[in-house]
């Protein structure tokens, strides 16, 4: 499938080193996994915790357990960073907020309709 997953791609780079089929109904499949649909906030179960490992002694607040697209996760990270007034990032399916804002992040997520467990 192509970049937008609505129709097959005609980009030759996606099919490089592919053996073609003589089957007229053959549909080329890439190794890309489709992104998970974003669940509504009431069905999300997020975990908020403090982490100090591998961070040179600095504390960060982690939000884990988000089910959805990368764009929606980045939007959630942007919301949390703005509300807390600090920096952070979104990596490997989790939101990283610089500093110890565990309770504040939990309150923001609860107000947004998410189910939150503080660890």
């Amino acid at each position: 499938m192509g970049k937008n997953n609505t129709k097959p791609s005609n980009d030759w780079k996606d099919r490089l080193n592919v053996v073609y089929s003589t089957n007229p109904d053959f549909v080329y499949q890439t190794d890309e996994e489709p992104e998970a649909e974003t669940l509504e906030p009431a069905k999300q179960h997020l975990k908020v915790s403090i982490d100090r490992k591998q961070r040179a002694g600095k504390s960060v607040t982690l939000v884990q357990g988000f089910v959805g697209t990368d764009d929606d996760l980045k939007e959630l990270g942007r919301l949390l960073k703005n509300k807390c007034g600090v920096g952070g990032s979104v990596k490997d399916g989790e939101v990283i907020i610089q500093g110890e804002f565990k309770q504040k992040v939990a309150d923001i997520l609860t107000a947004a309709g998410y189910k939150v467990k503080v660890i």
Side-chain angles (χ1 to χ4, degrees):
M1 295 298 227
K3 304 271 188 260
N4 58 8
N5 291 337
T6 57
K7 60 183 177 178
S9 173
N10 285 330
D11 188 6
W12 64 271
K13 294 176 189 171
D14 290 338
R15 297 185 307 266
L16 195 60
N17 298 324
V18 172
V19 177
Y20 289 92
S21 172
T22 57
N23 182 356
D25 297 327
F26 180 78
V27 176
Y28 181 76
Q29 297 177 354
T30 61
D31 294 335
E32 297 174 9
E33 293 182 19
E35 286 192 80
E37 290 290 320
T38 303
L39 295 177
E40 58 191 52
K43 293 183 179 180
Q44 297 271 4
H45 298 284
L46 303 180
K47 296 176 187 164
V48 179
S49 61
I50 300 291
D51 187 26
R52 292 180 189 86
K53 296 177 183 169
Q54 304 293 325
R55 303 188 195 280
K58 308 269 192 229
S59 298
V60 295
T61 304
L62 294 178
V63 179
Q64 301 169 316
F66 185 83
V67 177
T69 62
D70 288 339
D71 291 338
D72 291 335
L73 182 61
K74 287 178 185 176
E75 188 63 37
L76 178 64
R78 189 174 300 121
L79 169 79
L80 293 174
K81 290 187 291 185
N82 283 339
K83 296 279 186 176
C84 293
V86 296
S89 64
V90 177
K91 293 181 186 175
D92 302 326
E94 62 186 16
V95 179
I96 302 168
I97 303 295
Q98 295 174 350
E100 293 190 21
F101 293 97
K102 184 166 55 172
Q103 193 57 49
K104 188 172 186 176
V105 167
D107 293 341
I108 293 167
L109 290 172
T110 302
Y114 292 94
K115 293 181 182 176
V116 180
K117 182 176 182 180
V118 179
I119 300 174

